[in-house]
Amino acid sequence: MLDSPVLTKEPAEMDVLAPAAEYYATGKNGKQRQRTLTMHPPDRAFLNKDSQRHRRSSYDDKNKAQRFLVDVEETLQRILEQDTDGDLQITVNDAGSKAMALGTADSGGFRKIDIRGTYMLANLLQELAMAKDYGRKYIVLDEARLNENPVHRLSRMIRYMFWDNLTRCIDANSIDKICPDPKNRSKNQDPIIYVPRGDPEAYDFYEKVAKSKPNLRLQVQYLPPVITSDYVRSINDRPGLLTLAMRKLPDGSMAGEPFVVPGGRFNEMYGWDSYFSALGLLVDGRVELARSMVENFAYQIKHYGKILNANRSYYLTRSQPPFLTDMALRVFEKLDPTKDKENKAWLRRMLKSAIKEYHTVWMAAPRLDPVTMLSRYRPDGKGVPPETEASHFDHVLRPFADKHGVSIDAFIELYNNDKVTEPELDDYFLHDRAVRESGHDTTYRFDKVCANLATVDLNSLLYKYEVDLAHSVSLLDGVLEDFDGVAQTTHEWMQRAHDRKERMHRYLWNEQDGLFYDYDTIKEQQTTYESVTSFWTMWAGCATQDQADRMATDSLHKFEMQGGLVSGTETSRGDITIDRPNRQWDFPFGWAPHQMLAWKGFENYGMRDISRRLAYRWLYTITKSFVDFNGVVPEKYDVVSSSHRVQVEYGNVGTDFKFVPREGFGWMNASYQIGLLYLNSQMLRALGTVTYPDLLFEKAMDLERRRHNEAEDAYLARRRASSVTARRLTRNGSVTAAVTVISPTTSNSSAYMDLSTLLHPLSSASASAEPSGAASISSDSLLQDELH
């Protein structure tokens, strides 16, 4: 007796690329029954026809769509035999044969076809894991799910799986899962939820939850009306979750407004991560989820005074880069146009919170510099930040502990309780908190100086606030007020924008270098760190056309690497030694926020060709790792060598999973969905085969070389030097399998060359050779509207 799929006639043909919840729970895989399977041997003609086992690779003839009859557990065990490094993934680093025979469904499992290649076997492993999620023991598996264009597959996984698995909510049904905090190293491990004094309805709600679930040992505590640094420090040994917005359901019950977390190990809502995730949600039609995230931000400003680094008690004094006005306007554009009155009322309420944040957080002491009238990341706070790893600050604290003749733990106790005074240490932690508020933790750009800097990124964002609010007054029929009932006008907000723009040009723009720099408000001089955030001025619109052209001509080449934009230049970062290790927001690392804002920035100034090129580079890096490493979508990349395999502080969130990636990473997911909108059809086809960016953009790179009057040898040496340096610093040259190399048989200097010679660069290789990366993947045309 076998528990097998029913292969009888189905009422309707299912989409072979349907989400797992549909594919493995309905149709041919949805109903399984106990039945006797009578095995009739096939006739001799059939056996003679297929006397040799057929090898089916991802570049094989697709005229015949195959389906396989698969024993889930048995096949899973067989495929894991090829996982030679034991990480429960199938990657290019595994030394197995990368081939497996599956029986076809049409032959009742008699006829075997080989599935070959890292990508197809990794997809098979993922499909088996998802089938197990739905309790399937035997499945009929469409080959299309194994050789699916990787661009389509990743976009589909983001839309139908990753977003759902990153979504959290604080209410009665989820409180037991969301309250535990891995950063809590205190003796008190009972969950605590802190409620703002101005939300008694939430307090009553969570009190009832605590009483109804006594096994949770949930403590519900009010915050004081005024939250000070001393208070926050006093509860660091009792860290807890901070409430977010709730809504009443039709039945009268309460439910928390949902939000998306950055990665699978997080349970709290983070500041600027949420903005970029919301952009991706809007592309994928998840408007209500994005709207809920805006509601949560407005709640934080109303009750906690700012958009928090995240909603944990130890973040109460710290904010993050402000994006609320653009986030609210993006959501507003997607709301049901037939509900114009309700939509405008909602937008007014959200912008009222943004106005409060602008005045009380960013344009007030201590963040506002009174001389330049530019803003800084400069949060309040006292003591040693409790959310870091236990030994994170040991190298900083040890000299002070030795000075006082006590252990590090004993010194922390003395310092946190004002029993010793150390101004130098106070200054260190001021800058450390500022770095974390900036979102760029950590980078040598901000080392021991961040709180003093009027940064180009923060002031670009505040300029965008000013312009957005000026525009919104007109958008909302001239009716927009702050919390005090003061009417806002377009003129006053445009004047603020004009003034900030003038100050940014005076203090931050460097005419000689063609770049915006941060300004040290204490030393009263520009810094010299070359940061990719200079391009944020184009996203916000505060650069002149001439400045934008200068950045494109004189500065872009410093940041444009093989796999996207690098955070800062190698020269600015400086030498790396044992005592001066890599920092994750420096060279050679690239991050999704920098890419997305730059794409939009260059597009704003009429340089869409640059936007497309940069988007392709970034998506190439994501797709390459996705293909070579079992579907991985991590937090960040080494963009010089286009690899996710990095050795740097905090590691790389999103790489540690078993069998199948289930969440990706929030802003990385968003960057992929948004980036696809920038690519033309030829770029999409090239991306599906992971075509090397410098090969695709050969003409553009030639123009760059001539623009800078570099000899060809010097030009190539410059690009090679960056790649060699990155490999040496991040992987020490030991992981050669992480690099996919595609060698074309012909070359063409056209920027948009005929890609037919590049789509299957390894098609003439030995049939027994293991295809590299996605070179063996189907190059089926992929239209933009199929993805979105």
Side-chain angles (χ1 to χ4, degrees):
M1 299 286 288
L2 295 176
D3 182 16
S4 58
V6 178
L7 299 179
T8 55
K9 186 170 76 172
E10 301 171 15
E13 195 66 30
M14 180 191 295
D15 178 9
V16 297
L17 300 178
E22 178 182 346
Y23 187 81
Y24 291 115
T26 62
K28 56 181 174 288
N29 289 316
K31 294 182 179 179
Q32 299 189 3
R33 61 181 176 85
Q34 296 288 333
R35 69 182 179 90
T36 302
L37 183 63
T38 304
M39 304 292 264
H40 296 287
D43 59 38
R44 186 168 300 277
F46 181 87
L47 288 174
N48 290 338
K49 178 181 178 181
D50 292 278
S51 57
Q52 293 185 346
R53 196 169 70 188
H54 182 62
R55 181 178 67 248
R56 182 78 161 183
S57 192
S58 51
Y59 51 77
D60 204 23
D61 180 30
K62 299 301 185 299
N63 292 331
K64 172 63 174 176
Q66 291 289 351
R67 297 190 305 167
F68 301 108
L69 190 60
V70 179
D71 179 326
V72 174
E73 190 61 40
E74 184 268 341
T75 308
L76 184 61
Q77 294 305 314
R78 281 201 295 141
I79 199 172
L80 288 177
E81 292 174 1
Q82 303 207 31
D83 174 27
T84 57
D85 58 9
D87 62 356
L88 300 180
Q89 301 174 20
I90 298 297
T91 74
V92 291
N93 285 343
D94 288 314
S97 64
K98 304 294 177 64
M100 175 171 289
L102 296 181
T104 64
D106 290 345
S107 70
F110 281 101
R111 181 171 177 255
K112 303 293 184 181
I113 290 182
D114 272 2
I115 301 300
R116 286 181 175 265
T118 297
Y119 178 69
M120 291 185 72
L121 261 70
N123 287 350
L124 176 58
L125 177 63
Q126 295 169 36
E127 294 297 329
L128 294 173
M130 289 186 283
K132 285 192 68 175
D133 290 345
Y134 292 93
R136 302 281 77 96
K137 295 182 179 180
Y138 295 85
I139 58 172
V140 174
L141 179 62
D142 289 274
E143 184 189 23
R145 296 180 78 87
L146 304 182
N147 61 17
E148 182 181 5
N149 187 307
V151 177
H152 191 184
R153 182 175 179 86
L154 176 52
S155 182
R156 179 171 61 82
M157 291 177 75
I158 292 170
R159 174 178 287 193
Y160 295 114
M161 182 166 67
F162 289 2
W163 291 133
D164 288 340
N165 290 334
L166 288 173
T167 301
R168 304 287 189 272
C169 186
I170 309 177
D171 55 24
N173 296 323
S174 62
I175 195 74
D176 56 331
K177 298 178 182 178
I178 205 168
C179 264
D181 182 5
K183 299 185 183 73
N184 181 6
R185 302 192 309 274
S186 68
K187 296 179 181 178
N188 180 16
Q189 292 293 316
D190 290 342
I192 303 175
I193 187 161
Y194 289 99
V195 183
R197 186 71 63 171
D199 193 1
E201 192 172 16
Y203 184 88
D204 293 341
F205 173 81
Y206 289 111
E207 275 283 285
K208 292 178 181 177
V209 171
K211 291 177 181 177
S212 66
K213 299 184 177 183
N215 60 303
L216 293 181
R217 301 172 61 88
L218 176 65
Q219 302 175 43
V220 184
Q221 296 186 15
Y222 263 130
L223 292 169
V226 178
I227 301 170
T228 65
S229 297
D230 287 320
Y231 170 77
V232 175
R233 182 178 59 176
S234 74
I235 62 171
N236 279 344
D237 61 346
R238 305 186 308 280
L241 194 68
L242 303 174
T243 59
L244 295 176
M246 302 191 77
R247 56 182 167 174
K248 282 189 176 180
L249 300 179
D251 62 2
S253 62
M254 300 288 289
E257 294 282 5
F259 55 92
V260 168
V261 297
R265 68 181 176 89
F266 298 98
N267 282 319
E268 49 276 320
M269 182 179 182
Y270 279 78
W272 72 321
D273 293 76
S274 295
Y275 166 74
F276 293 102
S277 291
L279 298 183
L281 291 171
L282 292 174
V283 170
D284 284 338
R286 306 292 290 271
V287 178
E288 285 306 309
L289 180 52
R291 175 174 174 160
S292 290
M293 294 168 72
V294 178
E295 288 278 3
N296 283 324
F297 276 167
Y299 180 94
Q300 290 181 28
I301 294 170
K302 179 179 179 180
H303 292 290
Y304 306 125
K306 61 182 73 66
I307 291 176
L308 301 171
N309 188 152
N311 60 310
R312 295 283 182 183
S313 58
Y314 39 74
Y315 293 135
L316 276 165
T317 63
R318 198 157 77 217
S319 189
Q320 278 212 312
F323 285 93
L324 180 56
T325 57
D326 190 72
M327 187 177 179
L329 286 168
R330 296 287 189 99
V331 171
F332 176 78
E333 293 170 356
K334 298 289 186 177
L335 297 178
D336 184 353
T338 65
K339 299 180 179 179
D340 183 66
K341 183 177 180 180
E342 295 92 327
N343 296 345
K344 287 182 176 178
W346 177 83
L347 183 61
R348 289 189 185 98
R349 186 162 55 86
M350 298 302 103
L351 295 181
K352 187 178 292 187
S353 292
I355 294 169
K356 176 183 177 181
E357 179 198 23
Y358 174 87
H359 286 300
T360 63
V361 178
W362 302 111
M363 293 301 289
R367 292 177 177 86
L368 179 67
D369 174 50
V371 177
T372 64
M373 294 301 291
L374 294 173
S375 300
R376 306 169 292 188
Y377 297 113
R378 197 178 178 91
D380 292 321
K382 289 187 176 181
V384 180
E387 74 274 12
T388 58
E389 296 84 352
S391 61
H392 184 80
F393 294 114
D394 281 4
H395 68 291
V396 175
L397 297 172
R398 182 170 290 108
F400 296 94
D402 293 344
K403 171 184 172 182
H404 290 274
V406 297
S407 68
I408 291 178
D409 289 342
F411 176 78
I412 292 175
E413 186 72 16
L414 293 171
Y415 180 71
N416 283 348
N417 290 283
D418 294 330
K419 298 296 180 61
V420 296
T421 302
E422 292 290 351
E424 183 182 352
L425 199 55
D426 294 343
D427 196 53
Y428 174 87
F429 284 121
L430 167 66
H431 294 303
D432 180 83
R433 285 188 291 270
V435 171
R436 298 176 193 282
E437 182 169 80
S438 77
H440 292 73
D441 46 323
T442 62
T443 166
Y444 288 112
R445 171 190 174 198
F446 290 155
D447 195 32
K448 300 178 183 178
V449 72
C450 185
N452 298 339
L453 300 181
T455 67
V456 59
D457 35 305
L458 175 57
N459 286 282
S460 295
L461 299 181
L462 294 175
Y463 175 85
K464 185 68 160 57
Y465 261 46
E466 293 155 349
V467 172
D468 284 347
L469 288 166
H471 166 69
S472 296
V473 173
S474 300
L475 181 66
L476 296 173
D477 308 317
V479 181
L480 180 62
E481 296 179 344
D482 63 16
F483 277 113
D484 295 324
V486 178
Q488 308 297 299
T489 67
T490 297
H491 174 75
E492 66 180 345
W493 282 107
M494 285 306 300
Q495 185 61 51
R496 291 182 179 116
H498 174 272
D499 293 345
R500 187 178 302 275
K501 182 177 182 178
E502 189 276 331
R503 294 172 190 132
M504 291 179 68
H505 292 176
R506 183 194 316 170
Y507 292 107
L508 309 184
W509 174 251
N510 188 298
E511 180 64 25
Q512 179 177 345
D513 294 348
L515 200 67
F516 284 92
Y517 289 110
D518 301 327
Y519 183 82
D520 190 319
T521 61
I522 303 301
K523 294 182 178 179
E524 298 185 335
Q525 65 185 29
Q526 285 183 355
T527 66
T528 58
Y529 190 103
E530 296 168 315
S531 171
V532 74
T533 57
S534 180
F535 300 148
W536 291 26
T537 58
M538 292 191 288
W539 174 82
C542 52
T544 65
Q545 185 65 52
D546 179 65
Q547 288 169 339
D549 291 340
R550 285 287 310 282
M551 284 189 280
T553 302
D554 299 340
S555 296
L556 175 60
H557 69 93
K558 301 175 183 178
F559 303 99
E560 184 178 356
M561 299 294 146
Q562 169 185 296
L565 291 170
V566 72
S567 298
T569 63
E570 186 176 4
T571 301
S572 293
R573 182 208 59 196
D575 293 334
I576 297 303
T577 66
I578 293 177
D579 297 324
R580 193 176 185 273
N582 264 322
R583 298 284 177 82
Q584 63 176 1
W585 286 89
D586 289 322
F587 182 95
F589 305 111
W591 294 76
H594 292 164
Q595 319 300 318
M596 287 185 273
L597 295 184
W599 302 339
K600 181 61 177 173
F602 282 105
E603 183 181 42
N604 286 344
Y605 286 78
M607 293 176 268
R608 188 169 176 85
D609 58 330
I610 292 178
S611 298
R612 282 178 168 171
R613 188 174 79 233
L614 295 177
Y616 182 87
R617 291 187 181 281
W618 182 248
L619 268 60
Y620 162 83
T621 301
I622 298 175
T623 307
K624 175 179 177 294
S625 290
F626 178 80
V627 167
D628 285 353
F629 289 92
N630 207 103
V632 68
V633 180
E635 176 188 37
K636 58 181 173 286
Y637 289 99
D638 165 0
V639 293
V640 178
S641 59
S642 298
S643 173
H644 72 286
R645 298 173 66 83
V646 302
Q647 293 179 6
V648 71
E649 57 184 350
Y650 308 127
N652 206 357
V653 180
T655 61
D656 186 17
F657 60 87
K658 297 178 180 179
F659 306 124
V660 57
R662 298 182 184 275
E663 303 98 3
F665 197 86
W667 58 28
M668 199 66 74
N669 301 340
S671 71
Y672 202 79
Q673 303 298 71
I674 292 168
L676 289 173
L677 300 177
Y678 282 88
L679 306 189
N680 59 29
S681 57
Q682 285 183 313
M683 289 177 174
L684 285 169
R685 289 195 295 272
L687 186 63
T689 57
V690 201
T691 300
Y692 187 67
D694 283 358
L695 187 63
L696 185 64
F697 301 116
E698 187 175 354
K699 182 177 180 180
M701 306 316 294
D702 180 64
L703 289 175
E704 178 193 333
R705 179 168 65 252
R706 283 187 282 150
R707 183 171 64 239
H708 295 287
N709 298 317
E710 294 179 323
E712 182 168 355
D713 289 346
Y715 166 77
L716 293 175
R718 175 171 65 82
R719 296 192 70 84
R720 282 197 302 269
S722 293
S723 181
V724 168
T725 300
R727 288 186 174 91
R728 173 173 56 82
L729 295 175
T730 59
R731 298 193 308 282
N732 200 28
S734 62
V735 189
T736 56
V739 181
T740 298
V741 178
I742 297 180
S743 302
T745 56
T746 61
S747 62
N748 192 317
S749 61
S750 173
Y752 296 106
M753 64 190 78
D754 180 2
L755 297 174
S756 61
T757 61
L758 303 179
L759 293 180
H760 293 297
L762 300 182
S763 59
S764 61
S766 169
S768 62
E770 162 64 9
S772 175
S776 63
I777 297 169
S778 167
S779 61
D780 299 335
S781 296
L782 189 61
L783 299 177
Q784 199 163 346
D785 60 356
E786 290 178 329
L787 291 168
H788 300 288

